[in-house]
Amino acid sequence: MPTTFLTPGLCGWHHIDARNSGNSDTLLAMQSALNTTLTFSEVVNQHSACATTGDICQLGDKGNVVVIGKPVFDDEALNLKLQNEGPAKAISAAYLKNDIEFLKSLSGDFLVIINDVDKTRCIGAVDHLGRHPLYYAKINGGVVFSSAASSLHIHPDISSSLCNQGIYNYVYFHMVPSPSSIYTGIHKLPAGSFFDTDGKDIKVSNYWSPKFESNSISGFDSLTRDLKGLLKKSVEKYSDPQLRIGAFLSGGLDSSTVVGMMSEIADKQTDAFSIGFSAKGYDEMAFARITANHFGVKLHEYYVTPEDVVEALPKVATSYDEPFGNSSALPAYFCAKFAKEHGIERLLAGDGGDELFAGNERYAKQGVFEAYHHIPGWIRAGAIEPLASALPSKLTLLGKIKSYITQANIPLPDRLQTYNFLHRHQPEEIFSTDFLSEVDPALPLEYQRNIYNTPNDATALNRMLYLDWQYTLADNDLRKVSHMCAMAGVEVSYPMLDDELVHFSTKIPDKWKLDGQKLRHFYKESLKGWLPDETINKKKQGFGLPFGVWMRTHKPLQDMAYDTLSQLKKRHYFNQSFLDQVIDLHRHGHASYYGELVWILTVLEFWLAAHANND
């Protein structure tokens, strides 16, 4: 029996020719494929159809507006209408007044569909951070859309065939990023974007990008006070006395901040949930306990075992709409499941702080390489680089200098992918010739360049942050946590991604966010004396799963992974010799690094076996 999820959903279509659009049975089947336990409302007419677990209203005589999530306007009258009549009617009024420009005044978390039948027009939009996915596909005379790719396939005009580029992108990113999907002809909207179609052509545009400020008009101390107030306010927004609420607690800065604010707001003891691993270098339970003791929080601990992974991996891997290779999905699932078993109805997650306030090591590392470009170009090209090339590389120091210059001369964002499997191993080594003939290996970097260059007048650091808002958050971490919570039957909210907090982060100058090699300098200084010192000073780690380490010693886990790779050999995507090499590299090389590669390939085969049996 398939697993059903506690997740919002919508599906439907817009078509200029009512005779070829679809019917009520098709819509019902698409709705069923969304696989959610939530209750649907639906509207069907000659040219458009929608089914949704969110809010829906009529637009004109035959159109409709559908909304999932909790949008917020910067207009008081529209917010009042939203509160009194619901988000669909508020968005309908905003659209009728300002056309597509209304999106620029909208924030919050939302997915919006506007079926404007009178103008033979359909618009779909997702919020600034892409908290809800929206898939769409062009058909002759219209568009079919859904919050799940699996629902789109039900429509008779949509193919379920896999796209080789999508497979390549998955191996490259360990997930399939927007604007593409794993399926031929199916796309998904990037965060902060909308599609607009007249039934003939579909145009996708970005309606929002952040405006980063280079200098602050406020002082450092003043902004630190503002940050703490905004953090508390954002956690308060997701508190609800009608629900039993808990929080993820890894022991890092963000989860500790959310838990600490919850403890100050709640009128009873806060429940926090932590995952541990009996593997050296992976377990952070000690830091979770420090936070829990500091704030007087009740900590619930669960230790994931290799046996848990063997049992849950096939179920988790096949549950996603597209292959999803982030190994921390399993810890997230067990944590959410553990919370559900303790009666929790909503979990607050700490995702987002690193991407808002510069907490990832790659930001500092890239700053070191960017410093090379502060040297005048004529000196670099005329003196430094010729001298470095002429000197022998055998000496360790000279070798490091040459390596530094080589990497520094790779432009951002390309340089961020230096350690990617598909740059350390040539695509021809990994994939079959027939497969590569249908793939553009340059496309993943092109995607990233487009996002990186979207903000106007932004520094390299802020461009990297924005890139991570799309790839690390919208297409990865939010998909991971939201889906795993839905699978466990728990709601999830992200206080660290509240729009006020996001906007506030854009006002913090680079030199305060990242002070040399000091990650999250401003954030840490703001919360000194409130968070435990151990939390402030700890090295970032996260919910990493020791899959590669466990697989070396736990035979059932090893057998499952190796057997799955053997099945993957039978498909046309990979060179068989490379899959054999992957096993050898894991056995005799870096267990963690190559264990990650084994993981993403294992997940891919599980997913393919469930979703592409005719491959």
Side-chain angles (χ1 to χ4, degrees):
M1 185 175 182
T3 303
T4 53
F5 305 101
L6 184 68
T7 185
L10 65 76
C11 59
W13 60 80
H14 174 90
H15 207 286
I16 58 177
D17 186 350
R19 294 170 297 177
N20 298 317
S21 60
N23 55 41
S24 296
D25 289 341
T26 300
L27 183 64
L28 186 62
M30 290 178 68
Q31 171 185 321
S32 177
L34 287 172
N35 214 27
T36 176
T37 58
L38 302 177
T39 303
F40 277 84
S41 298
E42 60 183 62
V43 172
V44 184
N45 59 50
Q46 287 182 307
H47 298 278
S48 67
C50 276
T52 181
T53 60
D55 192 31
I56 189 167
C57 77
Q58 201 77 18
L59 178 69
D61 293 333
K62 298 178 181 178
N64 49 68
V65 174
V66 185
V67 183
I68 284 176
K70 298 178 181 178
V72 178
F73 289 94
D74 62 11
D75 181 285
E76 289 186 16
L78 285 171
N79 277 329
L80 185 61
K81 189 175 185 68
L82 186 150
Q83 293 170 16
N84 294 334
E85 301 180 50
K89 287 189 176 180
I91 285 177
S92 175
Y95 167 70
L96 291 173
K97 181 180 179 182
N98 295 315
D99 199 78
I100 202 64
E101 288 295 307
F102 86 90
L103 283 171
K104 295 179 180 178
S105 67
L106 203 59
S107 60
D109 68 285
F110 61 83
L111 190 167
V112 172
I113 293 289
I114 299 174
N115 272 317
D116 190 343
V117 175
D118 293 339
K119 295 182 179 179
T120 62
R121 183 186 194 190
C122 182
I123 296 161
V126 294
D127 67 61
H128 300 173
L129 296 174
R131 278 162 280 209
H132 301 279
L134 180 59
Y135 294 86
Y136 64 95
K138 188 181 185 305
I139 57 175
N140 187 24
V143 62
V144 182
F145 48 81
S146 179
S147 53
S150 55
S151 174
L152 285 182
H153 300 155
I154 304 301
H155 193 282
D157 293 341
I158 305 299
S159 169
S160 60
S161 63
L162 299 184
C163 171
N164 280 353
Q165 187 70 52
I167 298 286
Y168 185 89
N169 293 351
Y170 166 77
V171 177
Y172 192 98
F173 292 109
H174 307 180
M175 50 81 183
V176 186
S178 57
S180 64
S181 83
I182 198 72
Y183 295 104
T184 302
I186 295 178
H187 309 275
K188 56 180 178 283
L189 276 181
S193 296
F194 71 98
F195 72 70
D196 192 351
T197 179
D198 59 2
K200 299 175 184 177
D201 299 307
I202 298 180
K203 181 181 179 182
V204 177
S205 305
N206 176 270
Y207 70 85
W208 177 86
S209 63
K211 295 179 181 178
F212 294 101
E213 298 180 15
S214 302
N215 299 295
S216 176
I217 59 174
S218 302
F220 188 95
D221 292 339
S222 173
L223 286 173
T224 61
R225 292 190 293 271
D226 291 343
L227 173 62
K228 194 170 180 183
L230 282 172
L231 287 167
K232 189 169 187 177
K233 183 180 177 182
S234 66
V235 172
E236 284 178 324
K237 287 182 182 179
Y238 299 101
S239 299
D240 187 339
Q242 304 302 315
L243 297 176
R244 188 172 172 199
I245 298 178
F248 288 100
L249 179 57
S250 69
L253 279 175
D254 297 321
S255 64
S256 295
T257 297
V258 171
V259 165
M261 292 301 176
M262 285 179 68
S263 71
E264 292 187 357
I265 294 165
D267 56 5
K268 58 183 179 181
Q269 191 175 40
T270 296
D271 289 288
F273 296 84
S274 296
I275 294 297
F277 307 100
S278 296
K280 185 178 179 181
Y282 286 86
D283 188 40
E284 290 196 294
M285 192 67 79
F287 289 101
R289 290 169 186 152
I290 288 169
T291 295
N293 291 333
H294 183 78
F295 290 112
V297 167
K298 185 175 182 181
L299 182 64
H300 305 267
E301 302 178 7
Y302 183 84
Y303 271 78
V304 176
T305 66
E307 290 80 8
D308 285 333
V309 177
V310 172
E311 180 184 353
L313 176 54
K315 179 170 63 174
V316 168
T318 57
S319 71
Y320 279 92
D321 237 18
E322 302 180 86
F324 187 80
N326 186 331
S327 61
S328 61
L330 252 73
Y333 169 67
F334 281 111
C335 200
K337 181 173 175 284
F338 189 44
K340 175 70 173 179
E341 290 167 356
H342 283 77
I344 296 299
E345 298 167 277
R346 176 185 294 166
L347 278 167
L348 301 191
D351 298 83
D354 286 326
E355 292 73 29
L356 296 187
F357 297 100
N360 292 314
E361 290 183 6
R362 58 183 170 273
Y363 306 143
K365 182 176 182 179
Q366 296 310 317
V368 172
F369 291 122
E370 288 298 293
Y372 180 64
H373 296 280
H374 295 162
I375 301 171
W378 65 271
I379 296 178
R380 285 186 275 122
I384 296 176
E385 291 172 16
L387 179 60
S389 297
L391 294 173
S393 299
K394 294 181 180 180
L395 298 176
T396 302
L397 178 60
L398 293 177
K400 287 183 177 180
I401 291 173
K402 285 188 174 183
S403 176
Y404 170 80
I405 293 172
T406 299
Q407 291 189 68
N409 281 327
I410 300 172
L412 285 172
D414 300 26
R415 197 191 307 133
L416 293 166
Q417 297 298 330
T418 302
Y419 295 100
N420 192 300
F421 293 126
L422 287 178
H423 289 287
R424 305 194 89 178
H425 298 269
Q426 291 298 314
E428 294 79 8
E429 178 188 351
I430 299 173
F431 298 102
S432 69
T433 302
D434 289 344
F435 173 81
L436 281 178
S437 68
E438 300 179 9
V439 163
D440 180 0
L443 198 58
L445 281 178
E446 184 181 325
Y447 285 166
Q448 292 207 310
R449 290 170 192 148
N450 289 339
I451 298 295
Y452 182 83
N453 291 315
T454 294
N456 293 321
D457 301 321
T459 62
L461 174 60
N462 286 327
R463 290 185 187 280
M464 284 190 286
L465 294 176
Y466 181 65
L467 184 69
D468 274 344
W469 295 3
Q470 178 65 63
Y471 283 89
T472 303
L473 291 175
D475 283 339
N476 200 328
D477 287 348
L478 300 188
R479 294 290 171 268
K480 172 191 72 182
V481 178
S482 294
H483 186 71
M484 290 297 92
C485 285
M487 188 172 174
V490 180
E491 288 183 27
V492 63
S493 296
Y494 303 96
M496 296 296 297
L497 297 178
D498 183 75
D499 284 272
E500 286 189 72
L501 202 52
V502 172
H503 177 67
F504 175 81
S505 75
T506 65
K507 299 191 297 182
I508 309 301
D510 285 14
K511 62 182 179 181
W512 293 352
K513 286 178 187 170
L514 180 62
D515 183 8
Q517 295 294 296
K518 295 178 183 177
L519 300 173
R520 292 184 71 159
H521 172 67
F522 170 80
Y523 191 94
K524 291 178 179 180
E525 289 297 312
S526 299
L527 298 185
K528 269 188 176 178
W530 182 73
L531 282 176
D533 289 342
E534 296 91 338
T535 304
I536 295 284
N537 298 323
K538 79 178 285 291
K539 185 178 180 181
K540 177 178 170 56
Q541 190 166 316
F543 259 6
L545 183 75
F547 176 75
V549 175
W550 279 347
M551 196 170 62
R552 274 191 168 175
T553 57
H554 189 74
K555 191 68 165 52
L557 190 60
Q558 186 182 103
D559 289 344
M560 180 182 72
Y562 291 173
D563 289 347
T564 307
L565 291 186
S566 294
Q567 294 301 312
L568 191 60
K569 281 185 182 181
K570 300 175 183 178
R571 303 185 186 275
H572 71 279
Y573 305 121
F574 298 94
N575 290 327
Q576 292 188 12
S577 59
F578 177 75
L579 295 179
D580 290 334
Q581 184 187 3
V582 167
I583 293 174
D584 185 66
L585 287 168
H586 172 259
R587 285 174 172 165
H588 304 107
H590 195 291
S592 179
Y593 181 81
Y594 288 105
E596 186 73 10
L597 181 55
V598 173
W599 175 274
I600 66 169
L601 295 174
T602 299
V603 166
L604 177 61
E605 173 55 30
F606 274 128
W607 190 90
L608 290 170
H611 296 268
N613 291 324
N614 295 322
D615 175 64

